[in-house]
Amino acid sequence: MKRSKQNPATDRAVYSEFGGAEANPLSRPDPPTSEQKLTVQASRKGRKGKTVTVVSGFQISAAKLTELAKKLKSQCGSGGTVKEQTIEIQGDHSQKLAEALKKLGYPVKVSGG
């Protein structure tokens, strides 16, 4: 049995375990800000006694989350980072962050203290 000459680059079977692009969680649109339930809390666990304000509950893309973190860090005048759909701001800025996020349209709950 002879095979006809075909382009090997286009003659490949593609396997997708969970469907196609529809199943990719990164390809779905971000929900509106009013539907995301955010929690703001000050935490010192695992940080050698340093206080960090953690904002969690985001359902937005990594690029938008990084951009939002940059805005919040500048409003608080301190450093911070983005880790696994959460924003961590150095210091206890719970009230400042809650007010800033409410102005942006996010429903915010301040947890603890």
Side-chain angles (χ1 to χ4, degrees):
M1 178 170 114
K2 273 191 162 183
R3 291 184 74 186
S4 62
K5 289 189 177 187
Q6 293 179 353
N7 186 355
T10 59
D11 189 33
R12 295 183 183 189
V14 177
Y15 176 75
S16 179
E17 184 175 356
F18 297 109
E22 311 87 18
N24 186 354
L26 301 176
S27 67
R28 66 181 171 199
D30 297 334
T33 57
S34 61
E35 292 182 9
Q36 299 182 36
K37 297 176 183 175
L38 303 184
T39 304
V40 178
Q41 77 179 61
S43 173
R44 294 195 300 178
K45 288 188 176 183
R47 295 178 176 88
K48 298 181 183 177
K50 306 283 183 180
T51 303
V52 175
T53 305
V54 180
V55 185
S56 58
F58 290 103
Q59 299 172 359
I60 57 177
S61 66
K64 288 183 182 179
L65 190 62
T66 305
E67 182 182 324
L68 179 61
K70 186 175 180 180
K71 287 180 188 177
L72 294 175
K73 289 189 297 185
S74 67
Q75 286 184 350
C76 293
S78 64
T81 187
V82 175
K83 291 184 180 176
E84 301 174 4
Q85 294 300 101
T86 63
I87 296 176
E88 294 182 1
I89 306 289
Q90 295 173 355
D92 188 359
H93 301 284
S94 301
Q95 296 304 319
K96 280 185 190 178
L97 290 174
E99 290 173 15
L101 290 167
K102 284 179 184 177
K103 285 181 184 176
L104 294 172
Y106 290 96
V108 179
K109 178 183 177 189
V110 179
S111 175

